[in-house]
Amino acid sequence: MNIICATLNAKYIHTNLAIRYLKAYAHPEYEVELAEYTIKDPIMNIVTDLIRKKPHVIGFSCYIWNIEETIKVIKMIKKIDPSIVIMTGGPEVSYDVQEWMKNVPEFDFIIIGEGEETFKTLLGELMNEKRFEAVPGIAYRLQEQVHINHPLHKIDLRELPSPYRFEEDLPHLGKRITYIETSRGCPFSCQFCLSSIEVGVRYFDREQIKEDIRYLLKNGAKTIKFVDRTFNISRSYAMDMFRFLIDEHVPGTVFQFEITADIMRPEVIEFLNKEAPPNLFRFEIGVQSTNDYTNELVKRKQNFAKLARTVTLVKEGGKIDQHLDLIAGLPEEDYDSFRKTFNDVFAFRPEELQLGFLKMLRGTGLRIQAEEYEYIYSDHSPYEILGNRVLSFDDIIRIKQVEDVLEKYWNDHRMDHTIEYLVGTVFPSPFDFFQEFGGYWESQGWSKIGHQLEDLFKRLDEFLQTYGIMDKEIVNDLMKYDYLAKHKYKPRKPWWEPVLSKTERSQFYQEIIENPSRLGGLELEEKDLFKHTILEPVTFNIDQYLSSGKIEREPHMLFVYFNPKSDVPTLISLESPSAR
């Protein structure tokens, strides 16, 4: 029997852990071939590749991001060869099972919930007596009637074979994200999250996980993401793993974790700030909302003061990037309340702030309570909300405008100093800046077209001119600084019109040649001075502003040297000749 486990990932860099568990658990009785595609791949290409493998059974791993495309693939496969047995599993099809079996007749079987043992048992029945009633945790058809066998028990995770040691994965370890699972389940009951449905937390064998990580590091894995819903639920466990990863990491490796910030003890952060190399760890922290009533309605226990303590201590340590999540559209969180939530969290200046929108996932408590809060949401995955009784569709569209420019101008870190000045000095709050700019961005039709780096600066400049802000010169100077700081090589045509004439530029260069000490120890030959540098007049001493936060208007010259042997330019704020 030729068996394939397949999935459509969101991106090429992603890998699917579930199908690897199925392959590992089915071995040695059954040989399973893995087949991974992306949701961007043409359906015909996916189907062609699968059919050419001449499968008897194909199992698809289904999620909100791939279910629509997966169904298209399955329907086409069944038209080509109805004899191929189609199994589906994963969080998207483990709920509303009767509805799935009714609406998608091409599904021969649905594996409900945890799938390793069920998958292997089902393969055995397909090869032998086909007593499907004896297989716990599946939905199937018998004489056109749908039958559902509920799962009987949870697997002992310590007995699961490793899914990380397949030879065919080795060439890709350095190019893709490797997902590691050290536990299943979540201790919390957030009603918008599927993890709230499973009670309790179960752990894999700790020493086996460590051996797997050693193997992955030895074979070139660069980005390892732990998918545990709350990695730090056990302080002793988290500390042991942090110590292990610090001691045995390979330079260039990054480990990512989802942590619950308000339960992390200060001594854990102190340990990380002291012992962890810079950029080894990355934390993902779900804040979602700072509205206490909203959190109470979704059964989310969160101590914001302790969360703030953790995020601040990590930020001050300067070694760990933080990705903070927000969800717009939670119960009783109206537009003004979400504005406060956004500003509360942006105040931490996280390296990344993800603004997401509530998705009414199948099986969650919030989907069951949808009528109570007058939710309307899409019938198709990812089931994103379109409104509720306190948040209109127009409000959602406005917040989406915030999300659009937040991603481009904050999360991508293209102009950090400029944005910091705008949100802290020019606009009433960070949310107000992103909202005003996001609305303008959409009104110009920019959300429908692509953009280069220069476009982002030009569009912000146009918006600020239209908005009529004070201190426009200061903002322009900061934008020039941010723009030049992002270039490895001297840009041929900056986004602004040159101010200095060739004569003025040459005069300043001649002055530097005569007084090289003005560059503060930077020694340049004359040819490098003319070939690899840029001069730009600015209205204040940018170096002083970056160190003290104070702006004193006094003409200066921004001097930038693009060292051919370095990835980062040298930027120096020099006193302007006119000021002396």
Side-chain angles (χ1 to χ4, degrees):
M1 185 164 62
N2 190 8
I3 306 160
I4 296 174
C5 281
T7 196
L8 280 64
N9 296 318
K11 297 179 180 178
Y12 165 76
I13 61 169
H14 298 164
T15 52
N16 184 282
L17 186 55
I19 61 176
R20 286 167 171 78
Y21 270 116
L22 297 180
K23 176 181 171 72
Y25 197 85
H27 185 80
E29 289 85 351
Y30 307 101
E31 286 299 324
V32 175
E33 181 180 353
L34 302 180
E36 289 183 280
Y37 310 95
T38 76
I39 55 176
K40 300 288 187 179
D41 292 337
I43 300 299
M44 181 60 76
N45 292 4
I46 298 173
V47 171
T48 299
D49 188 61
L50 287 171
I51 291 293
R52 283 178 174 171
K53 295 177 186 294
K54 301 189 181 305
H56 299 98
V57 175
I58 308 178
F60 287 91
S61 186
C62 302
Y63 305 84
I64 56 172
W65 64 79
N66 72 6
I67 187 63
E68 303 291 338
E69 301 305 306
T70 299
I71 290 174
K72 293 175 186 176
V73 169
I74 289 171
K75 286 180 176 292
M76 196 176 293
I77 286 173
K78 277 293 194 180
K79 285 185 176 182
I80 296 166
D81 187 349
S83 71
I84 296 175
V85 176
I86 298 295
M87 302 178 186
T88 59
E92 177 57 14
V93 295
S94 287
Y95 304 94
D96 300 337
V97 176
Q98 187 84 32
E99 181 182 333
W100 280 118
M101 293 295 282
K102 175 184 176 183
N103 293 340
V104 191
E106 291 82 3
F107 288 0
D108 295 311
F109 297 94
I110 292 178
I111 294 176
I112 303 166
E114 207 163 41
E116 291 89 351
E117 187 175 356
T118 300
F119 176 68
K120 188 171 185 176
T121 305
L122 181 54
L123 289 177
E125 291 300 331
L126 283 169
M127 285 192 70
N128 296 297
E129 299 181 22
K130 297 181 172 56
R131 295 180 300 113
F132 303 129
E133 70 277 3
V135 184
I138 64 167
Y140 64 101
R141 292 184 181 83
L142 185 62
Q143 297 177 350
E144 298 187 2
Q145 292 295 313
V146 173
H147 295 258
I148 299 175
N149 303 339
H150 293 285
L152 296 181
H153 64 271
K154 296 292 184 182
I155 293 174
D156 184 345
L157 301 181
R158 295 168 297 180
E159 297 179 359
L160 283 181
S162 171
Y164 309 109
R165 295 175 179 255
F166 298 125
E167 191 173 338
E168 60 264 40
D169 284 336
L170 293 180
H172 309 291
L173 287 178
K175 307 170 189 174
R176 306 173 77 179
I177 299 171
T178 300
Y179 295 92
I180 289 274
E181 189 179 31
T182 73
S183 66
R184 289 181 183 174
C186 181
F188 304 109
S189 303
C190 306
Q191 295 299 287
F192 51 81
C193 180
L194 279 175
S195 298
S196 66
I197 298 172
E198 181 176 345
V199 178
V201 179
R202 296 169 293 143
Y203 284 90
F204 288 78
D205 181 87
R206 188 183 308 189
E207 295 309 313
Q208 180 58 51
I209 289 291
K210 290 179 179 179
E211 285 301 316
D212 285 332
I213 292 173
R214 288 188 182 104
Y215 172 86
L216 292 167
L217 293 176
K218 180 181 177 182
N219 286 282
K222 294 298 183 185
T223 303
I224 296 178
K225 182 171 182 178
F226 291 78
V227 297
D228 306 61
R229 301 310 298 167
T230 304
F231 183 81
N232 62 314
I233 188 62
S234 166
R235 181 166 64 103
S236 61
Y237 177 79
M239 284 289 284
D240 179 62
M241 289 300 293
F242 286 145
R243 179 77 269 174
F244 166 76
L245 297 173
I246 290 170
D247 290 343
E248 305 214 16
H249 79 280
V250 175
T253 307
V254 177
F255 297 99
Q256 302 182 21
F257 312 89
E258 292 186 32
I259 70 161
T260 299
D262 59 350
I263 65 171
M264 183 168 267
R265 300 288 295 271
E267 56 264 32
V268 177
I269 307 168
E270 290 170 9
F271 164 77
L272 293 173
N273 286 343
K274 179 182 178 182
E275 300 288 339
N279 304 316
L280 178 64
F281 297 144
R282 175 182 170 87
F283 286 168
E284 297 183 19
I285 300 171
V287 183
Q288 320 312 7
S289 174
T290 62
N291 184 316
D292 290 337
Y293 183 49
T294 291
N295 285 327
E296 181 182 337
L297 290 174
V298 296
K299 299 181 182 179
R300 180 174 177 80
K301 296 179 180 178
Q302 179 169 271
N303 185 318
F304 187 68
K306 290 184 177 180
L307 182 150
R309 178 189 66 190
T310 293
V311 173
T312 301
L313 287 174
V314 172
K315 183 80 172 179
E316 290 172 349
K319 290 185 173 182
I320 300 172
D321 280 357
Q322 297 181 97
H323 169 124
L324 272 53
D325 290 341
L326 301 179
I327 298 179
L330 291 171
E332 304 305 313
E333 176 107 280
D334 61 15
Y335 179 86
D336 291 331
S337 172
F338 185 76
R339 174 182 181 273
K340 179 182 182 302
T341 282
F342 183 98
N343 287 329
D344 288 343
V345 177
F346 194 87
F348 299 130
R349 301 300 192 265
E351 282 71 29
E352 188 172 353
L353 178 58
Q354 180 173 317
L355 198 175
F357 294 81
L358 179 64
K359 296 168 179 59
M360 305 296 277
L361 303 179
R362 294 177 183 272
T364 59
L366 210 48
R367 181 160 173 148
I368 295 169
Q369 293 178 282
E371 289 187 12
E372 179 181 344
Y373 299 108
E374 299 178 21
Y375 276 108
I376 53 174
Y377 57 93
S378 172
D379 294 332
H380 301 283
S381 65
Y383 315 113
E384 192 166 289
I385 67 160
L386 306 172
N388 62 28
R389 72 182 177 200
V390 300
L391 196 72
S392 68
F393 181 68
D394 286 341
D395 290 334
I396 290 173
I397 294 304
R398 293 175 68 196
I399 298 173
K400 281 187 177 292
Q401 295 167 353
V402 172
E403 177 201 22
D404 192 13
V405 292
L406 175 73
E407 199 65 34
K408 294 179 176 67
Y409 284 85
W410 179 258
N411 290 341
D412 284 348
H413 296 284
R414 289 177 165 119
M415 50 184 87
D416 288 348
H417 300 105
T418 303
I419 301 304
E420 180 61 43
Y421 184 80
L422 288 170
V423 302
T425 303
V426 177
F427 286 80
S429 78
F431 185 88
D432 292 295
F433 163 70
F434 289 111
Q435 182 65 90
E436 292 287 349
F437 187 24
Y440 186 82
W441 184 281
E442 185 176 275
S443 72
Q444 299 303 301
W446 293 335
S447 57
K448 300 175 183 177
I449 58 177
H451 52 267
Q452 302 295 328
L453 180 65
E454 286 77 7
D455 297 324
L456 294 175
F457 283 86
K458 289 178 181 178
R459 290 168 186 173
L460 177 60
D461 183 59
E462 180 181 322
F463 160 68
L464 294 174
Q465 289 186 43
T466 304
Y467 194 80
I469 68 164
M470 297 178 61
D471 300 330
K472 182 65 168 54
E473 288 182 335
I474 292 174
V475 177
N476 269 16
D477 292 342
L478 289 172
M479 288 173 69
K480 292 174 183 178
Y481 183 95
D482 282 332
Y483 176 83
L484 294 171
K486 293 298 181 184
H487 282 76
K488 179 179 178 180
Y489 302 107
K490 179 179 177 179
R492 293 182 178 179
K493 190 173 181 1
W495 59 270
W496 65 90
E497 291 297 323
V499 176
L500 294 178
S501 66
K502 287 185 177 181
T503 301
E504 290 171 321
R505 198 176 302 272
S506 296
Q507 289 175 347
F508 198 86
Y509 282 146
Q510 191 60 45
E511 187 174 321
I512 289 175
I513 292 170
E514 294 171 1
N515 300 281
S517 61
R518 293 198 64 195
L519 297 182
L522 179 64
E523 297 181 2
L524 296 179
E525 295 183 9
E526 185 172 340
K527 63 177 182 178
D528 290 328
L529 197 60
F530 282 87
K531 185 177 181 181
H532 297 299
T533 68
I534 280 183
L535 281 174
E536 192 62 37
V538 291
T539 57
F540 64 101
N541 186 336
I542 294 182
D543 288 346
Q544 182 187 54
Y545 167 70
L546 296 180
S547 62
S548 68
K550 296 180 180 179
I551 290 180
E552 296 182 5
R553 286 183 178 272
E554 183 181 14
H556 271 69
M557 197 71 73
L558 181 60
F559 176 89
V560 189
Y561 169 51
F562 300 91
N563 187 342
K565 298 179 181 179
S566 172
D567 291 336
V568 181
T570 300
L571 293 90
I572 304 173
S573 190
L574 301 175
E575 189 177 356
S576 175
S578 61
R580 289 182 287 120

